[in-house]
Amino acid sequence: MGFLTQLRADQQIALLFVIVFGVLALVSVGALLLSLREHGPRWLAGHERFKRDLRAVWIGITVFWLAWVSGPLGATLLFGVFSFLALREFITLMQTRRSDHRSLLAAFFVVLPAQYAMVGLRHFDLVSVFIPVYVFIAIPVISALAGDPAHFLERNAKIQWGIMVCVFGLSHAPALLLLDFPGHAGRGAFLVFFLVMVAAVAQIVQEAMSRWFRRRPVARAISRSFSYRAWGLGALAGAVLGAALYWITPFKAPQALVMGFIAAAAGTLGEFVMKALKKDAGVQYWGNQASVTGAVGLLDRIAPLAFAAPVFFHSVRWYFKLTP
Amino acid sequence: MTRADLMGKLLAFVARLITGAQGHWQGCPPEALQRIYFANHQSHLDWVLIWAALPGELRAHTRPIAAKDYWTSSPFKHWLTREVFNAVYVNRQRTDDQDPLEPLVQALEQGDSLVIFPEGTRSNLGEPQAFKSGLYHLAQQFPQVQLVPAWISNVQRVMPKGEVVPVPILCTVTFGAPMQLGPDEDKRSFLERARAAVVALRPVAG
């Protein structure tokens, strides 16, 4: 460990990426070798799903790597583009009316760039309140000015929600990258890594547990696998992993346990809420082949991050009393 | 690369950024055959969407129809339609001595493909209006040209009538199987069949 602490922060992060990419490469090669043998159709279906998830992980890690390599400006731009694509997908699946046009324009071309500009300039106090306070009021005003009272509340709720998840939530990922801890400068990437790992492990454990226990689902109409026990165990697994990873973060082990729990719980609950949204919009995957949209399923992938990042970001800043 | 090529690339990029402009080739692959694409018409963006959904190498020989009085009224509009889109100009006012289909016939004789919107005008209702007879006359004169129906989804949400700035919403263009004029099919039943072929491509989910 002595050798590791002598490295500079950026060298440590580079090493982290080398390790992550190495592990991914090993897993990919292993999966390829396994698939060379003959298998039954059930195994093949599972393998297809696994391959899809693995590809998503590759893309995700590459995005984070690009974000880190390209510095503050590049990171905000990159996540800004992702926000744009995600919001485009979200709005496509919601039924909007003609009178929503101006509100949507504001969401895409004013709110989104403004939010990311604030992230890039590290005005973190403003980042946390701009959308929940100011945009929350501005969007209904623009809507009302369009003069169409039909389904007014419903239409605005849809747009607000899209902005909250796709812009507000996701913009906290680059914000974490740019967050400076005293004595921990330039190591935001470790925080993002911490968050993503904890949320991912919580999700995997939750899936496995719900298959293991076969409890009665809490909300059958929304998710056949979600139960309190599986969720709790998933979040707990996230917390334990968080505590085990405390040395890459500015936290002490007990703090890392709590932070891990918060991130894991928010991520898995976010996934659950997204399932409800999907059921409401009538799609199984966002990237459903049969749907008109030709959507690529980006929302599915970012949902846990979009929910976990703001909660995690805020609790870290609040607990450590960080000012920008 | 000329300025027109650059403009074309830029427009295709913007169309993809805003709408995705996904082409779903359900009934036929995108081939360099001479074709008449005919589609529902809901927005000014319809042509750009079909054009952006085509593979790059087909774009140069696939031409839109443009109303002469409007699209030559300013130097920029004229340049855009002539140099970038290679549009076929038609007169909207019918004169006695000229067949309005004459420019289209010329383009087809040169071997180019065309994109036409047989409803004639943009419809705001979900269902396309009855087709005008131009498609029938072209099918009669050029039996070797494939007639490909297409359905454009969602585009009316991108830019409703009266708005100028498009909202980013994903759109798709679904291309169906090529059809032909039957040996003794009359005008009305052919046009109804063509319209049904376009409507049949509408995705179930909306």
Side-chain angles (χ1 to χ4, degrees), chain B residues 174-191:
Chain B
T174 312
F175 296 95
M179 53 182 287
Q180 227 112 43
L181 180 62
D184 41 29
E185 198 172 12
D186 69 349
K187 189 165 89 179
R188 231 185 90 194
S189 59
F190 170 76
L191 290 174

Side-chain angles (χ1 to χ4, degrees), chain A:
Chain A
M1 285 311 235
F3 148 76
L4 279 176
T5 48
Q6 277 167 22
L7 293 175
R8 286 199 320 273
D10 55 335
Q11 287 172 326
Q12 288 177 350
I13 293 175
L15 186 67
L16 175 71
F17 274 114
V18 169
I19 294 170
V20 171
F21 276 119
V23 169
L24 263 185
L26 281 181
V27 171
S28 298
V29 169
L32 183 72
L33 289 180
L34 268 181
S35 69
L36 291 180
R37 279 198 256 152
E38 286 207 15
H39 295 284
R42 256 193 81 190
W43 189 89
L44 280 178
H47 186 68
E48 247 347 275
R49 207 171 47 229
F50 176 73
K51 264 193 347 203
R52 216 178 48 214
D53 289 345
L54 191 65
R55 199 163 47 230
V57 173
W58 267 109
I59 295 172
I61 299 290
T62 312
V63 166
F64 280 114
W65 179 72
L66 282 173
W68 175 66
V69 166
S70 51
L73 182 68
T76 24
L77 269 181
L78 192 70
F79 277 94
V81 169
F82 268 87
S83 257
F84 177 86
L85 296 177
L87 186 59
R88 191 178 76 169
E89 214 168 294
F90 187 94
I91 296 296
T92 303
L93 292 167
M94 299 293 141
Q95 285 304 314
T96 56
R97 290 164 62 95
R98 276 193 54 182
S99 36
D100 291 329
H101 198 79
R102 297 280 162 87
S103 317
L104 290 173
L105 285 181
F108 276 102
F109 299 119
V110 180
V111 174
L112 194 152
Q115 172 80 358
Y116 276 89
M118 281 181 259
V119 169
L121 298 171
R122 302 185 195 222
H123 290 309
F124 294 134
D125 280 331
L126 210 49
V127 165
S128 315
V129 295
F130 173 61
I131 287 175
V133 177
Y134 298 97
V135 175
F136 187 81
I137 292 169
I139 293 286
V141 170
I142 301 173
S143 254
L145 287 174
D148 179 8
H151 306 287
F152 185 77
L153 189 59
E154 195 185 322
R155 281 161 36 211
N156 278 298
K158 283 172 183 169
I159 299 174
Q160 304 270 26
W161 249 87
I163 297 175
M164 265 322 259
V165 174
C166 303
V167 183
F168 181 79
L170 203 57
S171 71
H172 281 77
L176 265 182
L177 275 176
L178 300 177
L179 188 64
D180 272 339
F181 266 91
H184 204 74
R187 292 190 199 185
F190 282 115
L191 277 183
V192 177
F193 177 77
F194 178 86
L195 173 68
V196 172
M197 284 307 288
V198 164
V201 164
Q203 191 141 15
I204 292 165
V205 170
Q206 185 194 341
E207 276 292 307
M209 284 303 133
S210 58
R211 229 168 281 161
W212 193 279
F213 284 129
R214 301 230 166 260
R215 306 287 291 192
R216 210 156 57 84
V218 182
R220 173 174 288 281
I222 288 169
S223 163
R224 286 177 171 278
S225 65
F226 187 87
S227 67
Y228 287 125
R229 182 175 293 192
W231 171 76
L233 285 170
L236 215 59
V240 169
L241 177 81
L245 284 175
Y246 84 95
W247 47 277
I248 66 164
T249 66
F251 316 137
K252 298 193 176 64
Q255 293 170 339
L257 187 83
V258 175
M259 288 299 168
F261 185 81
I262 291 172
T268 41
L269 286 178
E271 172 78 10
F272 179 60
V273 171
M274 269 297 175
K275 275 201 179 123
L277 261 171
K278 280 196 290 192
K279 283 276 158 76
D280 185 25
V283 279
Q284 200 60 41
Y285 301 103
W286 289 108
N288 198 344
Q289 283 292 310
S291 83
V292 278
T293 61
V296 290
L298 184 67
L299 270 174
D300 248 359
R301 310 294 185 196
I302 63 154
L305 188 63
F307 278 78
V311 177
F312 182 70
F313 183 86
H314 184 261
S315 47
V316 166
R317 278 195 80 214
W318 175 76
Y319 183 78
F320 292 94
K321 298 193 173 52
L322 298 176
T323 41

Side-chain angles (χ1 to χ4, degrees), chain B residues 89-109:
Chain B
Y89 295 105
V90 291
N91 281 320
R92 273 197 281 205
Q93 281 80 31
R94 194 181 271 258
T95 46
D96 289 335
D97 52 339
Q98 202 203 3
D99 179 7
L101 287 179
E102 182 62 33
L104 277 65
V105 170
Q106 269 177 22
L108 286 171
E109 275 167 356

Side-chain angles (χ1 to χ4, degrees), chain B residues 5 31-37 47 51 54-64 83-88 107-108 110-115 145:
Chain B
D5 288 343
E31 285 175 296
L33 296 172
Q34 193 179 15
R35 282 172 172 168
I36 298 174
Y37 300 94
W47 150 252
W51 184 74
L54 290 172
E57 59 272 24
L58 299 190
R59 285 182 200 153
H61 296 287
T62 308
R63 305 172 62 182
E83 299 293 327
V84 180
F85 293 138
N86 194 11
V88 178
L108 286 171
Q110 284 172 33
D112 290 333
S113 295
L114 292 179
V115 174
V145 177

